[in-house]
Amino acid sequence: MLELTMATVSGSDAGATAGMQLADAPSEPGAVLRVGRDRGACRLATPDDWLFVSRVHLEFLCGPEGTWQVTWLRGSHDDPSSQVRLALVGGAPQTLPYGGTARLPLGGAGELVIQDRTGPRSVNVGFYHEA
């Protein structure tokens, strides 16, 4: 099972958890969870006017062995207006490259932060990959 929590945070709301969204999916091959502005395609949706987030920004996909990976999907622009950082519990944050993929450790937890490059806004997506 992969469990996700998402909070949208602007400068004045730093540290707040109001409006948190939750989603989960069983660790079955082909299971998908998406984060972005498109409410039809994404289980976790950001505000429509947060254009630094793509229609479908992050895709969590379960592979054949029941392990999960996350991909920052490339959008229609060559240069994104955000950056994505991945931090595993107990590890140093690392940048997830535009179009890049990272594996999530079984039984691991952490956070992905989609940071607006033009202002103090972020989308914080916490995850827990149940062993």
Side-chain angles (χ1 to χ4, degrees):
M1 170 88 60
L2 181 69
E3 299 172 350
L4 301 178
T5 59
M6 183 188 83
T8 53
V9 181
S10 63
S12 61
D13 297 332
T17 57
M20 187 173 286
Q21 297 179 43
L22 307 170
D24 60 25
S27 293
E28 297 173 353
V32 177
L33 289 169
R34 294 183 183 97
V35 176
R37 288 190 338 261
D38 184 343
R39 295 183 190 293
C42 300
R43 290 270 305 272
L44 297 175
T46 62
D48 293 335
D49 63 339
W50 284 35
L51 300 181
F52 70 97
V53 178
S54 302
R55 286 182 57 249
V56 180
H57 203 90
L58 298 175
E59 180 177 80
F60 294 82
L61 175 66
C62 187
E65 299 85 31
T67 57
W68 286 86
Q69 66 181 29
V70 60
T71 301
W72 179 6
L73 300 174
R74 291 188 68 85
S76 59
H77 300 286
D78 290 333
D79 188 28
S81 56
S82 65
Q83 65 179 16
V84 176
R85 290 186 321 276
L86 168 65
L88 299 174
V89 170
Q94 59 188 19
T95 299
L96 183 63
Y98 188 42
T101 298
R103 295 204 178 278
L104 304 180
L106 186 62
E111 181 178 49
L112 288 127
V113 177
I114 305 168
Q115 180 70 50
D116 185 348
R117 290 173 40 189
T118 64
R121 298 183 297 181
S122 68
V123 177
N124 300 1
V125 180
F127 65 87
Y128 174 67
H129 183 194
E130 199 172 86

